Amino acid sequence: MEDAHGVLSNALAVVAHERDHQAQTARLRRVVDESFDFVWRVLRRMGVPSRDADDAAQQCFLVVARRLKEIEEGRERAFLFQTAIRVARNEHRSARRRREDGEQKLSAIVDPAGGPEDIIEQKWARRTLDALLATMPDEQRAAFVLFELEGLTLRETADVLGVPQGTAASRVRKARQHYDRRVRRLRERIGNGGSR
Amino acid sequence: MTEPRRILDDDPDELDLLLLGAGTEEAPSSRAKQRTLLALGLAVGTAALGAKVGTGLTGGKAVGSLPVALFAKLTGVGVVAGGLAVGAAAVFTSMSEEPTARNTPAVSAWLQEPSSTPVASASTVSASEEEGLEAPPTVASAERKVRLAPAEPAPRVPVPVESSEPAPTNALAEELDLVERARAHLQAGRARDALRLLDRRDADHPRGVLGIEATVLRVEALVQLGDRAAARSIGEAFLKRHPRSPLAPRVRQAVGRVPSKAEGEPR
């Protein structure tokens, strides 16, 4: 009798384990379906070159897969975002060097002194945006990417960043000021280039 | 708390729209997602394999005429001699590159070998390398979906289906099917069957997009068969070529090297 009870308990445990595994698999699949593009875009806007973005995105989801049971339901996107930020950082040089390179690239844009004239509009815009983002401190950049580019609300931005709303609002505002300053200079250079 | 005003809600001009649009229109290729699903061991056959084709970066506008048009649009000034001069080559590389292969809205665009150049270490990446040829991930074309014959999801202790179903109708789907079935055999302890399918994958798709995943499975299959020498040989070559691949830890573990610290995990 005890043996039968033991066998039954084991069988029930196996079934429960299998159900749990299937639920986790379904959850992981859902997370990938819902968030893959978002993670990929975040990686790109945080400076990962397009040739590395696929692998970097895959890395993020491998991390999520390993940690899925620890991640609260509904918090997957926040976890993914934070993972993406770290992965992007790992791919790059120091924050200071990133910003310096960004400034250099941004100042080289619309150089009336020379350079190839044949550009493709979207490529130009993307590279300009990436150079501009590279000049931002990482915290502001992350907030800008979420709020201005991905269109999250302030509350969602704070949630994904894992900070209070006030902190998120402050970062968004500073990022906006930074953006406005750089774009103003860009407009001036475009204007100067046109008048020659 | 008052929500800050977004740029797009704050009377954006053409330049704002151009820059912000560039940030949101870029999208990964569908093969990137499929490769991730495969790496996670998630069934890929049951999903419609969509070739989501977004507004990508290949433009399509004629090189040479655009700078002036762009300039005029941004400044409101008419055509000006000299047009819009762009920064040095270090910033904008190879303007003549027109990734025509990627402009083809066909599955064949997916058959290009994925980038397999190792990611340079943090100390050696230079700005010009980083700003190198960045191939647009999507192609500017109408959306197209490629449907697979529905396949069974990979069971946990799988019995691979030696298919009597009609063959998939495109190369990527075929390659995915072979690799996924090889994985299922491997998980079931049938390394020889896995290697057989991987050999077939190599022969039928020499330039397929799943080369990395197939190599990792091959290493694991060889380990399972007890052929450690062959596993190590292939594994070491893989690690030399792809030291920072997301699948590198699996290879290290398979060939008995000390697993590397998982990167990027939030604490």
Side-chain angles (χ1 to χ4, degrees):
Chain A
M1 188 63 172
E2 284 180 6
D3 283 347
H5 181 71
V7 166
L8 182 60
S9 292
N10 285 342
L12 288 172
V14 166
V15 167
H17 188 259
E18 182 61 31
R19 275 201 194 130
D20 178 63
H21 173 77
Q22 286 177 3
Q24 292 298 315
T25 301
R27 183 184 173 202
L28 183 60
R29 179 61 199 256
R30 199 171 55 246
V31 168
V32 175
D33 284 342
E34 290 172 1
S35 302
F36 188 86
D37 287 15
F38 165 75
V39 168
W40 195 93
R41 284 195 303 268
V42 164
L43 287 164
R44 287 287 292 119
R45 298 288 80 79
M46 295 308 292
V48 176
S50 63
R51 64 176 179 267
D52 299 326
D54 290 2
D55 272 359
Q58 191 179 112
Q59 197 170 347
C60 293
F61 285 96
L62 285 171
V63 171
V64 163
R66 277 198 294 272
R67 307 274 298 268
L68 194 62
K69 287 195 175 178
E70 304 165 34
I71 303 170
E72 192 184 323
E73 287 269 0
R75 299 283 305 155
E76 296 90 349
R77 186 167 275 214
F79 186 95
L80 271 166
F81 180 83
Q82 289 161 26
T83 303
I85 296 296
R86 288 176 202 269
V87 167
R89 248 183 235 149
N90 285 345
E91 298 281 339
H92 286 73
R93 306 135 295 162
S94 70
R96 183 180 163 188
R97 173 123 184 246
R98 285 201 299 275
R99 287 200 296 277
E100 284 172 358
D101 284 347
E103 294 286 4
Q104 192 179 9
K105 286 173 190 173
L106 202 55
S107 64
I109 289 169
V110 196
D111 180 2
E117 290 188 42
D118 47 346
I119 62 169
I120 298 175
E121 185 174 85
Q122 282 184 320
K123 267 191 179 174
W124 180 92
R126 180 173 54 83
R127 289 182 191 247
T128 303
L129 177 67
D130 285 346
L132 194 157
L133 289 172
T135 64
M136 279 186 196
D138 284 352
E139 288 180 347
Q140 291 176 25
R141 185 177 187 171
F144 187 91
V145 166
L146 290 172
F147 188 77
E148 300 285 2
L149 299 182
E150 292 295 325
L152 271 60
T153 64
L154 184 65
R155 185 178 202 163
E156 289 166 340
T157 299
D159 184 53
V160 170
L161 291 174
V163 300
Q165 277 196 51
T167 305
S170 171
R171 291 182 189 177
V172 164
R173 284 196 187 94
K174 285 180 183 168
R176 172 69 188 273
Q177 287 164 3
H178 184 108
Y179 170 91
D180 285 343
R181 280 197 301 273
R182 293 300 191 282
V183 170
R184 189 165 51 241
R185 279 190 226 158
L186 194 60
R187 283 194 195 96
E188 286 166 5
R189 281 208 296 279
I190 291 173
N192 289 341
S195 62
R196 292 182 192 177
Chain B
M1 162 160 306
T2 312
E3 190 107 338
R5 282 178 69 83
R6 297 177 202 277
I7 297 168
L8 288 179
D9 297 329
D10 211 6
D11 195 23
D13 66 6
E14 287 269 8
L15 183 55
D16 292 321
L17 293 173
L18 201 58
L19 293 175
L20 298 180
T24 53
E25 288 167 2
E26 198 179 11
S29 64
S30 55
R31 92 174 175 205
K33 184 174 160 187
Q34 293 298 332
R35 287 180 62 203
T36 292
L37 288 169
L38 191 66
L40 293 170
L42 297 175
V44 297
T46 51
L49 193 66
K52 183 177 176 189
V53 181
T55 53
L57 299 167
T58 54
K61 298 183 179 178
V63 170
S65 64
L66 212 30
V68 175
L70 169 62
F71 176 80
K73 183 164 54 170
L74 293 175
T75 62
V77 176
V79 173
V80 174
L84 185 67
V86 179
V91 177
F92 295 102
T93 60
S94 185
M95 290 302 141
S96 60
E97 181 211 23
E98 195 60 40
T100 51
R102 290 183 177 82
N103 273 332
T104 305
V107 170
S108 59
W110 297 340
L111 297 183
Q112 296 171 39
E113 190 67 33
S115 167
S116 57
T117 54
V119 176
S121 67
S123 61
T124 60
V125 172
S126 69
S128 59
E129 283 170 355
E130 270 209 336
E131 200 55 37
L133 297 176
E134 294 180 15
T138 62
V139 296
S141 165
E143 197 166 316
R144 170 185 296 192
K145 290 195 189 292
V146 177
R147 297 194 182 281
L148 290 180
E152 296 172 11
R156 233 181 129 197
V157 181
V159 177
V161 176
E162 293 300 342
S163 177
S164 58
E165 299 165 314
T169 56
N170 65 73
L172 177 60
E174 284 174 13
E175 192 188 1
L176 275 169
D177 184 58
L178 286 169
V179 174
E180 188 59 25
R181 282 159 54 201
R183 168 197 291 275
H185 276 300
L186 193 59
Q187 285 179 334
R190 287 186 285 274
R192 283 194 203 286
D193 290 333
L195 284 173
R196 177 175 53 83
L197 287 171
L198 292 171
D199 288 343
R200 194 171 132 196
R201 177 258 156 211
D202 289 352
D204 292 351
H205 305 277
R207 299 186 63 195
V209 300
L210 301 175
I212 289 179
E213 289 78 1
T215 301
V216 174
L217 286 172
R218 183 178 291 281
V219 169
E220 291 173 334
L222 288 167
V223 169
Q224 198 178 97
L225 277 177
D227 191 349
R228 285 210 159 262
R232 182 170 279 277
S233 171
I234 297 173
E236 295 289 349
F238 174 90
L239 291 171
K240 195 172 178 184
R241 201 172 175 209
H242 309 287
R244 299 189 66 184
S245 163
L247 301 181
R250 263 173 68 184
V251 175
R252 286 190 191 96
Q253 193 169 14
V255 300
R257 284 176 54 177
V258 175
S260 60
K261 180 180 170 213
E263 291 180 297
E265 296 191 26
R267 308 209 195 294

